[in-house]
Amino acid sequence: MSELTSSSRHGGVGRTLLWVAVVLSLALLGFVTAVAVRSNPIYSDREANGVSKYRFIEHCREQLEDTEELTVAAAGQAIPLKTLVEQGGSPLKAGDRLEVTLEAEPAQIIRATETIEGGGWTLSAPATISVQSGGKTRALGQLPMQCVHNRQDDKTVVQLQLPGQ
């Protein structure tokens, strides 16, 4: 009989300690995961608000990218952004593209997203309007953006606001 297969070796204690360490590690991992899920800042009740907070924020960003459909609230009217920019003395040339981006950090966007009565979400944040021409970007200005999701009609609406409106 060789030394490696000898029955006088005491490896059972080490093996038991190894299994105890594995079980404790899994228990700790489960606990940390449960705590992280509960304290997730974008966790939300999808049933109560019609859509999750994360999906609502994504809908707002997607609609901001569609500058052809984006409107600006002015004197009780909804004016297309493109029309407003062109009336403001900055006509768009061929190949120019309007771009609207949120000017808030992700943590600020999450904190600014609130529930509304009756179910739904609202988000107010500053948005920068710029013109993309070739490889250059020219900023036109910044307007407050209002994004609302109403649970009843399951629709997300984004609108820019003129100051003082």
Side-chain angles (χ1 to χ4, degrees):
M1 199 179 291
S2 77
E3 261 182 54
L4 296 175
T5 59
S6 169
S7 60
S8 63
R9 295 195 56 173
H10 301 289
V13 173
R15 206 171 301 130
T16 303
L17 287 176
L18 179 62
W19 278 109
V20 168
V22 167
V23 168
L24 288 176
S25 295
L26 289 175
L28 180 63
L29 180 64
F31 174 75
V32 168
T33 302
V35 168
V37 166
R38 253 187 265 131
S39 64
N40 183 351
I42 58 173
Y43 171 77
S44 58
D45 185 1
R46 186 176 8 189
E47 297 300 317
N49 296 310
V51 68
S52 70
K53 184 187 268 188
Y54 172 79
R55 192 67 200 135
F56 166 71
I57 293 170
E58 288 303 309
H59 282 180
C60 293
R61 287 186 177 174
E62 289 168 6
Q63 287 189 15
L64 275 178
E65 290 174 5
D66 186 10
T67 56
E68 294 294 322
E69 297 294 321
L70 196 57
T71 61
V72 179
Q77 299 178 16
I79 302 170
L81 176 63
K82 187 174 182 178
T83 303
L84 189 66
V85 168
E86 289 178 340
Q87 287 177 352
S90 298
L92 298 174
K93 301 177 191 111
D96 286 358
R97 188 172 56 86
L98 279 174
E99 193 172 275
V100 179
T101 54
L102 281 178
E103 291 301 321
E105 296 294 320
Q108 293 170 322
I109 292 170
I110 291 169
R111 280 193 303 272
T113 303
E114 300 173 347
T115 58
I116 57 176
E117 193 174 316
W121 298 103
T122 183
L123 168 63
S124 297
T128 299
I129 303 163
S130 57
V131 175
Q132 188 94 18
S133 180
K136 296 184 178 185
T137 302
R138 178 175 47 113
L140 299 178
Q142 201 174 67
L143 291 175
M145 183 272 312
Q146 181 73 34
C147 185
V148 177
H149 177 83
N150 189 335
R151 180 177 167 227
Q152 279 73 30
D153 37 347
D154 194 31
K155 188 175 178 184
T156 302
V157 178
V158 174
Q159 193 170 45
L160 299 173
Q161 307 284 323
L162 283 180
Q165 297 295 314

